[in-house]
């Protein structure tokens, strides 16, 4: 039984509520309240309206919604009391086929979870590619979420309910996603090529990396693009328009990964425009500008510790001295390039002539929780934060924990603790400024020894360089004062100083308008992470579109995830943007 | 040219000043002011009086005293402008025989040191055994002290000046130290037996440990004692008195060490009474009680992680279940004992009958800076602090340092930082209470990742159990509040809960009186470290005499040091105490 958006927009209220009854489990009040906003321009707008009702509901109503759901493989399932939708969804993960051990584990998890949170565990068991999550994955997610704080877990349950509703609504409206599922499937296939047996690691010029490049080139060719793999390893697919004198819009991202990374970081920004071209080519549609989709060979810096190798080459900023850098095994970049069949001397020729380039636009998974917590699939990036990084080494005096009076101590860890809190305090409360102490260690610390040394890292980022530099200045002066007061010596090693890259307002506006045409609010956010767009900003105007990152916003981790629906929306937005793109 | 204390006590003031002119370099004002306190009961009292003049002098006078000293191997030495004393002392370290590289190093160190502190580096180049420090040791000490804070370094220079004055005064008065040099020499010889090629490690029942026991037994026998090595490895030397029905005073300490430990920790408490018995035996003197000197086999817990094995056996508290504990190589304690020729089944029989024991008195290096900073060679211990130790594991959420807004973080390191400062704040300002976070680590932390986990240790000690438990309670509740506010989970693993062991006032008073009879003030202090006396307190009344620890009070470290003079004084005090000991 399917229906259409126009039927939903025009039918009487009771029919609207009745048709959507199964979307949110046992909670007709949700479509009832959303109905006031009819007509909906898009299915996305309908989904957002339903979600907004839940967000604006009282806490009791939200709890009621959560509690209206059955336990996974719980008693209701055994007694056959699930809604038809739940029965089908639980079966998709084979939860009806659990072994007795798995049943026992789920039973214990359900009991512990209920005891901790007072509501049932909810999980959209359909995975990113549309297949059901495996029972093992369900159990692992269950165990992980059991550790959450109650407020965070309640929010996560509501997000899972929205995701379940989205899947159900797609079925009800027979929604076709022309891009999303293909993108997710490609990401899955690409992740098979890894340097490690478990997890996904794709470091510059390894066998897995070269196999990934070949695969991307194949898909690009199949999508009707002119393909080259350039001297630095970038996979470049060109989809020319009919006007030879037109400029080129470049899009893309990197295909290398961090160690044990996620499947979407970087790759989404290559596969998504590739899926668009695949569709355009199939129906013979051309764009008003030439389009280049670049799979940048290197962004993460895993193998040679130098980042943005691919995009720097395209931007004409590749540092040829790096060719002599060696990896952990002593292989130089030059030798690695030659072994991969590349001609290092040809790298400078990769640089594009800025005159021929219209702009650079990059789609990337957010790698953070902002869109997720706001319930928004997409965001327009305002700038890529500049960053300052330091390693700090504190030297006090190691002494006996029992025999050194508190007043006589030179405790390096206590100084470090003050610094951690100083960074937090100085960067908190300032918009678009973040500060992190990610490394913190008392080397060979003992329970009964006052720490004589402590090492820590500083990472300060901001959209505005002046804001960042002022914070760095305050923090360094604070460290000096803390160490002087505590009779601690400190050594500071600067490791990164990178200026912020602001996105071009004209690109942001046209991206934002395309977002709004999908029935979504335009939401602007800062990119705290570095991206190829940062390097490309040296060549041309840049913009970025962020997609929502699941699992609490986790990235650089196998738990990084996103939905086919969000990928599809981002593709619709990018295509709409590309079709209408005009330099003002 | 020597003189005597009685001559100094009775000669006219100018003669007094003139005789002592060379003791403090170019600073006759020091003997001038000290002269007012004549007559001095002991040489120790004279030394203390001279030191007190310096301590009470103005900062300018103190600086003047320091600046009156020549640089080590400096221009004055080259030009032959040193005092006779300085020339001889510098030659004892072979500083007149420096290679040109060593001269260059010393020259640079002198320049850097002067630039930082504004006064010359001063070091008593005579080592603990009376021989000159090697040039290498001098250079290493110089480099280390160059890192000190100015106030600490000025205090250190004054202490070195006092030590130089002490050595000069000993020569002037032809002071004989009957015990100190022998104790220091024995400690040096004993340190040759080590599990490691560099440094001193003597873990339970290793070859070095057994060789150490054999050596101790030999020396005890040579000192006229009846010697046994018992079933747990304790080396027991008995020096009976003439009254068979008399009770036994037990003294001693442990001969095992931590990894890369010091030469005096534990061993001083065995060698010092051994040196006394050596003298008593030589002149045929007996004590009013039987004396047992015990070298306890194990106190540090390095090999089997269980501490006080030797003293617990003597106190009748040896836990026989420990025999099944295995070391890192999988060898059980039972097998290690058997391999060393011991009969584990005989351990319970080691327990002494409390009825036959008068008391337990232990001499130990302080392992802290209290006596050093007060300029006192000896202190009477009031109690051995009780301790509570925990390992704390904090779990937040690892997330991207660039993309996670400050308000959305669950930063485990920031929570740890608050805990470190809470411990410091709660334990600071309360007398005889100390709190330490000695281990602190973000496991596999990255510069650009918000810490998802942090591990730390807590070590809370106090003389008074109620004070300690109240602090622990406040700290644990504080951790709970910090973690709740920050949405961090924590797990707490208690690893030690030990009650305080107060020293017996009657023993403290008799020890204190003996200290005063040496011309020193009685100074009472808490032992923050655990000692065999803690275990022996289960058997009998206990007391401890602490000796001053050099090098800023550092211990459990090869830099642990003390002087032959302090060892000699402690021996004089212990012998005086033993001769007069009466249970009231």
């Amino acid at each position: 039984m399917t229906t259409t958006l126009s039927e939903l927009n025009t039918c009487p209220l009771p029919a609207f509520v009745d048709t959507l009854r199964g979307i949110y489990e046992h909670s007709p009040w949700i479509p009832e309240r959303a109905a006031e906003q009819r007509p909906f321009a898009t299915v996305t707008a309908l989904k957002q309206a339903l979600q907004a009702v839940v967000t604006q509901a009282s806490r009791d109503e939200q709890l009621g919604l959560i509690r209206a759901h059955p336990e996974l493989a719980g008693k209701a399932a055994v007694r056959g009391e699930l809604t038809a939708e739940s029965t089908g969804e639980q079966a998709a993960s084979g939860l009806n086929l659990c072994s007795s051990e798995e049943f026992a584990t789920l039973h214990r998890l359900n009991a512990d979870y209920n005891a901790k949170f007072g509501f049932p565990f909810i999980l959209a068991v359909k995975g990113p590619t549309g297949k059901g999550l495996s029972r093992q994955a369900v159990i692992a997610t269950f165990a992980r979420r059991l550790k959450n704080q109650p407020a965070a877990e309640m929010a996560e349950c509501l997000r899972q309910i929205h995701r379940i509703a989205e899947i159900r609504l797609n079925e009800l409206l027979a929604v076709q996603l022309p891009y999303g599922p293909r993108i997710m499937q490609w990401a899955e296939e690409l992740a098979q090529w890894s340097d490690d047996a478990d997890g996904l690691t794709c470091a510059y010029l390894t066998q897995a990396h070269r196999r990934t490049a070949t695969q991307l080139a194949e898909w690009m060719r199949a999508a009707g693009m002119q393909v080259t793999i350039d001297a630095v390893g970038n996979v470049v697919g060109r989809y020319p328009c009919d006007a030879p004198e037109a400029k080129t819009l470049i899009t893309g991202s990197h295909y290398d990964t961090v160690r044990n990374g996620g499947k979407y970081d970087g790759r989404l920004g290559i596969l998504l425009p590739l899926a668009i071209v695949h569709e355009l080519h199939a129906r013979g549609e051309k764009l008003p500008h030439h389009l280049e989709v670049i799979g940048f060979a290197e962004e993460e810096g895993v193998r040679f510790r130098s980042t943005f190798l691919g995009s720097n080459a395209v931007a004409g900023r590749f540092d040829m001295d790096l060719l002599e850098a060696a990896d952990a095994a002593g292989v130089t970049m030059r030798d690695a390039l030659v072994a991969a069949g590349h001609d290092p001397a040809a790298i400078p020729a990769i640089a594009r002539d800025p005159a021929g380039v219209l702009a650079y636009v990059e789609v990337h998974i957010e790698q953070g929780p902002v869109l997720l917590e706001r319930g928004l699939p997409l965001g327009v990036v305002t700038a890529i934060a500049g960053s300052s990084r330091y390693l700090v080494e504190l030297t006090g005096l190691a002494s006996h924990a029992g025999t050194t009076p508190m007043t006589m101590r030179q405790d390096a860890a206590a100084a470090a603790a003050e610094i951690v809190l100083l960074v937090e305090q100085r960067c908190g409360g300032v918009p678009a400024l973040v500060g992190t102490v990610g490394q913190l260690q008392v080397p060979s610390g003992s329970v009964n020894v006052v720490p004589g040394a402590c090492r820590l890292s500083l990472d300060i980022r901001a959209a505005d360089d002046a804001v960042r530099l002022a914070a760095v200045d305050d923090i360094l002066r604070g460290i000096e004062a803390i160490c002087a007061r505590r009779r601690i010596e400190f050594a500071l090693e600067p490791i990164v100083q990178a200026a912020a890259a602001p996105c071009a307002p004209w690109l942001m506006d046209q991206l934002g308008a395309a977002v709004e045409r999908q029935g979504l609010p335009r939401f602007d956010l800062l990119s705290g992470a570095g991206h190829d767009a940062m390097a490309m900003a040296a060549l041309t105007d840049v913009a970025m579109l962020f997609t929502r990152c699941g699992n609490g916003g986790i990235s650089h981790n196998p738990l990084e995830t996103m939905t086919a629906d969000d990928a599809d929306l981002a593709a619709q937005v990018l295509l709409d943007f590309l079709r209408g793109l005009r330099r003002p």
Side-chain angles (χ1 to χ4, degrees), chain A residues 204 232 234 254 256-258 265 296-315 317-320 322-323 325 333 347 384-385 387 389 461 495-499 529-536 556:
Chain A
Y204 189 43
V232 85
N234 295 327
H254 59 99
D256 71 319
T257 71
V258 295
D265 175 5
F296 292 113
E298 212 287 342
E299 188 254 17
E300 301 283 6
V302 167
R303 182 163 177 190
F304 292 101
R305 301 216 199 153
S306 290
T307 53
F308 303 113
L309 297 178
S311 43
N312 272 330
V314 171
R317 300 276 184 114
F318 186 89
D319 176 1
M320 294 295 276
L322 290 177
L323 292 171
M333 194 187 296
I347 291 176
I384 301 162
S387 73
R389 294 188 193 173
R461 311 195 195 193
I495 48 174
V496 169
Q497 291 293 341
H531 294 293
D532 290 301
M534 213 163 175
M536 293 296 284
H556 282 186

Side-chain angles (χ1 to χ4, degrees), chain A residues 67 112-119 145-146 148-150 153:
Chain A
R67 290 187 179 133
D112 291 352
Y113 187 96
N114 251 302
K116 177 167 177 183
F117 300 115
F119 49 76
R145 281 177 44 196
L146 185 53
N148 277 351
Q149 299 285 330
E153 184 53 23

Side-chain angles (χ1 to χ4, degrees), chain A residues 516-535:
Chain A
E516 285 171 345
R517 283 192 293 273
Q518 289 300 320
L520 285 171
R522 168 176 167 177
F523 176 73
D524 290 0
L525 77 170
L526 172 71
S527 171
H531 294 293
D532 290 301
M534 213 163 175

Side-chain angles (χ1 to χ4, degrees), chain A residues 463-486:
Chain A
D464 185 304
D465 288 338
V467 168
R468 172 173 51 90
L469 295 174
V472 167
D473 202 48
D474 285 351
I475 288 167
L476 297 190
R477 272 191 296 165
I479 291 174
E480 208 173 309
I482 289 165
C483 289
R485 176 163 39 76
R486 289 182 173 273

Side-chain angles (χ1 to χ4, degrees), chain A residues 378-393:
Chain A
L378 302 175
V380 176
V381 174
T382 54
I384 301 162
S387 73
S388 300
R389 294 188 193 173
Y390 297 85
L391 296 180
V392 185
E393 185 127 8

